[in-house]
Amino acid sequence: MKFKSALFIILAFVQFTFSQNAELTTEIQDHIKARVDEGFNPSVALAYIEGENVTYFNYGNTEVKNGKPVDQNTVYEIGSISKVFTTIILADEILKGNINLSDPISKYLPKTVIVPQRKGKQITIKDLATHTSGLPRMPDNFEPADYSNPFADYSTELLYQFLSSYELLRDIGVQYEYSNLGMGLLGHILELHTGKTYEELVKTRITVPLGMKNTGIVLSDAMKAKLALGHNEQLEVVNNWNLNVLAGAGAIRSTTSDMVKFIRANTSTNNTSLSKAMKLSHEIAFSDESESFNIALGWHFANNNTITWHNGGTGGYRAFTGFLNDFSKGVVVLTNSVSTVDAVGMKLLDAPLTLELPKKSEFPDEIEVSAEVLENYIGVYQLAPEFSITITRVENQLFLQATNQPQFKIFPSAEHQFFLKVVEANITFSTNDAGEINALTLHQGGQNLPGNKVE
C-alpha cells in the first residue's frame, strides 16, 4: 500500500481553465480542485470529449514549488498508455500483410535468442499483445543502477539473456497476466521487423498523421518548456523515466490537446489506414469466460464492455484515457504525481462510482538526529538468504534500500526508531551489550522481520 503526503501547502498561482463547449459537473471540478488543494496532485489536466465538443479543465502547476499553471499543452508522461500506440502500430502491420497475430515471436528475433516455450507451444505475437504470453510483469534480471530512472540501463543484451534463460511458469495463451516485459518486447520486435526505431514508428504511423506535435519519446525543446515535473508520494520532484529496449511498454510523453486528437482518431468513422488499424486494435482478441474478462490488442474494457480504456504510470506521473464504445464520449486525464486519476476518467465515461479523495497519511512526529548519530545505523542487514536492507546516509538523511527495490528515505521518530512515508512500514534498530547497532527489525503488514547487521 502506498502512502500519500500529509496536508500539503496549497499551491500558489493555481490556474483553472475550462471551455464552455460541453459540461463538466460541479462534482468533477470540485474533486479535481480538492486533489490539488489538499496536496495529492500538483496538477490535473483533463480533456472531455462529447460528440463534437471538447472541454479542457486544467488546475494546478507544473511543479509544487515555483511551477507554472498547467494547460492543455502541458506535457506529461503517459506511461503504459504507450502500449496502445504499440498495438496500433502492430495492427497497421497486420493490415498491410506484414505480420500475423499467429506468428511465433521467434520468427522476428535473432536466432541466437532462445525463446521460452511450454508444453510444445510457442509464444505468438497475439500473446504479447493480449498479455497472455506467460512472461512475467518484469524480467528477473531487471536490476537498475538508478532506481529513479529504472529502465534507462535495461539493454537489448539483458532482454535477450532473460528470454534465453527463463522458464515459463504458466501455459501460453490461456490466462491474462499484465506484462510490461511482454509489451516492451512487442515494441522491440516491431523495431526489428521494420528497421525503424520505436520513436520513428510512433511518429510516422501515428503522431505526424494526426498532427500530435507535442507527443513523443525524446523531449523536444518545445516539450521541455511545457513539461510538468513528476512528483512522488511526498510531492517531491523526481526524475523523468527513459525507457530503452522496452520503450513500447511506456516511453511516450504527451498533452491533453494531443491526446484529444488521438482519441478522436480512435473514435472516427473515416476509412484511412490509421483508422482501420485503430479499429482492429479495439476488437476483442482474448476472452476468459471463467473470469468474464475480455481484452483487445492492448486496450482493456470496463463497465460491462461499454468502456475501452488504458491507464499509465511512471515514477512521477499517472494518466488515463478511454472512450465509450459507441464513440459518444472520450476522456483524457493527466497528472504529475503518483496519486491516480483513473476514477475521474471512468466517472466521465458513465461508470457507476463515487469520487473520493485518497486517505491522508498520518505519520509520527519527526525528531532531530545529528549526522554523527545517524552514521551508526549505516550498513547492510540480512533478513533472509536473498533479501537484505541497506541503510545509507546523505548528510542528515538516512535512506533504506531493500534487495532489488528502489531507495527510500526513512525518518526518525524516537531513539532507534524510523518510519517510511512511501509504504506503511517502520524500522527499529537494536544494539549489542556495547551499545553498537547490530540488527534491525522491519515492521510491515503485521509482520516483524529481524535482520542482523552483516556489513
Side-chain angles (χ1 to χ4, degrees):
M1 178 170 38
K2 294 184 178 180
F3 266 83
K4 308 303 176 187
S5 299
L7 184 61
F8 208 89
I9 185 169
I10 294 178
L11 300 178
F13 307 113
V14 166
Q15 180 180 359
F16 155 44
T17 63
F18 116 98
S19 81
Q20 298 297 324
N21 291 333
E23 182 180 356
L24 281 179
T25 65
T26 300
E27 178 189 10
I28 295 289
Q29 297 175 37
D30 289 347
H31 178 75
I32 289 173
K33 288 189 282 186
R35 293 187 73 95
V36 174
D37 292 345
E38 297 191 25
F40 298 106
N41 306 83
S43 72
V44 176
L46 180 150
Y48 175 57
I49 307 164
E50 186 171 16
E52 297 300 317
N53 299 317
V54 180
T55 298
Y56 291 104
F57 185 97
N58 307 291
Y59 194 82
N61 297 322
T62 56
E63 184 182 357
V64 170
K65 299 177 180 178
N66 304 316
K68 299 177 182 178
V70 299
D71 59 29
Q72 57 264 38
N73 298 312
T74 300
V75 176
Y76 297 81
E77 291 185 351
I78 64 172
S80 288
I81 294 175
S82 305
K83 290 179 172 65
V84 296
F85 284 72
T86 302
T87 55
I88 289 167
I89 295 167
L90 168 64
D92 189 40
E93 284 295 291
I94 292 170
L95 291 174
K96 290 176 178 176
N98 298 329
I99 289 181
N100 294 310
L101 283 174
S102 59
D103 288 342
I105 64 173
S106 58
K107 175 180 177 180
Y108 300 98
L109 292 168
K111 300 301 181 185
T112 55
V113 179
I114 303 171
V115 179
Q117 301 182 26
R118 185 174 170 90
K119 296 181 179 179
K121 187 172 182 179
Q122 299 187 62
I123 298 171
T124 67
I125 295 293
K126 177 184 174 182
D127 297 324
L128 295 183
T130 57
H131 299 286
T132 57
S133 65
L135 293 172
R137 188 180 188 94
M138 291 296 295
D140 59 18
N141 63 347
F142 187 78
E143 298 178 357
D146 180 5
Y147 275 94
S148 69
N149 189 10
F151 288 84
D153 62 348
Y154 194 78
S155 64
T156 302
E157 181 182 8
L158 287 170
L159 175 62
Y160 290 172
Q161 287 176 1
F162 169 79
L163 290 173
S164 296
S165 62
Y166 185 71
E167 182 177 344
L168 293 172
L169 302 179
R170 67 173 71 222
D171 293 347
I172 298 169
V174 299
Q175 187 172 346
Y176 170 90
E177 182 181 8
Y178 191 85
S179 177
N180 289 309
L181 165 65
M183 198 63 75
L185 176 58
L186 178 59
H188 178 61
I189 286 172
L190 290 170
E191 290 181 314
L192 294 176
H193 174 63
T194 62
K196 295 183 178 181
T197 67
Y198 183 73
E199 170 115 37
E200 290 171 334
L201 289 171
V202 169
K203 284 184 176 180
T204 58
R205 304 291 179 96
I206 300 175
T207 62
V208 170
L210 297 182
M212 299 170 67
K213 296 181 179 180
N214 290 307
T215 299
I217 297 171
V218 177
L219 290 167
S220 66
D221 289 341
M223 291 170 69
K224 289 179 182 178
K226 297 291 291 182
L227 179 67
L229 300 184
H231 294 72
N232 62 15
E233 290 88 347
Q234 290 76 50
L235 294 196
E236 301 167 325
V237 173
V238 296
N239 289 335
N240 289 104
W241 280 9
N242 299 301
L243 281 75
N244 186 357
V245 67
L246 300 179
I252 296 175
R253 288 98 177 207
S254 191
T255 68
T256 52
S257 59
D258 270 8
M259 288 299 294
V260 164
K261 297 175 183 177
F262 179 73
I263 292 298
R264 281 204 179 282
N266 272 274
T267 57
S268 170
T269 57
N270 66 35
N271 204 33
T272 65
S273 59
L274 178 55
S275 180
K276 290 178 180 178
M278 288 177 164
K279 297 301 183 295
L280 176 58
S281 76
H282 305 161
E283 295 180 7
I284 293 175
F286 173 80
S287 297
D288 185 340
E289 294 183 3
S290 64
E291 300 289 338
S292 299
F293 173 83
N294 299 310
I295 185 173
L297 298 181
W299 290 100
H300 293 73
F301 301 106
N303 201 24
N304 296 318
N305 292 337
T306 61
I307 297 171
T308 300
W309 68 279
H310 211 292
N311 62 3
T314 57
Y317 301 83
R318 293 293 182 266
F320 175 91
T321 194
F323 52 88
L324 291 183
N325 291 348
D326 64 5
F327 298 163
S328 62
K329 294 180 182 179
V331 66
V332 181
V333 195
L334 308 178
T335 186
N336 55 330
S337 79
V338 295
S339 184
T340 180
V341 289
D342 289 9
V344 173
M346 286 292 187
K347 181 79 170 180
L348 284 167
L349 295 176
D350 303 331
L353 51 80
T354 300
L355 295 178
E356 297 180 351
L357 291 176
K359 183 180 179 181
K360 289 187 180 297
S361 302
E362 296 183 3
F363 302 115
D365 292 333
E366 294 181 41
I367 64 172
E368 291 188 12
V369 179
S370 68
E372 290 75 19
V373 172
L374 293 177
E375 186 72 18
N376 297 319
Y377 300 109
I378 293 174
V380 178
Y381 301 79
Q382 188 171 21
L383 283 71
E386 297 184 1
F387 182 75
S388 298
I389 287 177
T390 301
I391 304 295
T392 55
R393 179 180 68 86
V394 177
E395 297 179 347
N396 277 59
Q397 179 65 61
L398 282 190
F399 292 86
L400 173 153
Q401 185 169 18
T403 302
N404 294 329
Q405 294 184 28
Q407 185 181 74
F408 298 114
K409 293 179 180 180
I410 58 174
F411 305 88
S413 57
E415 184 180 15
H416 303 329
Q417 295 183 18
F418 291 75
F419 64 95
L420 290 89
K421 294 183 179 180
V422 295
V423 293
E424 190 174 358
N426 54 73
I427 299 287
T428 301
F429 290 93
S430 304
T431 60
N432 58 21
D433 292 340
E436 300 168 330
I437 302 297
N438 68 341
L440 65 71
T441 301
L442 170 66
H443 311 282
Q444 186 177 16
Q447 294 184 306
N448 301 305
L449 305 175
N452 291 323
K453 191 175 185 179
V454 294
E455 292 183 22

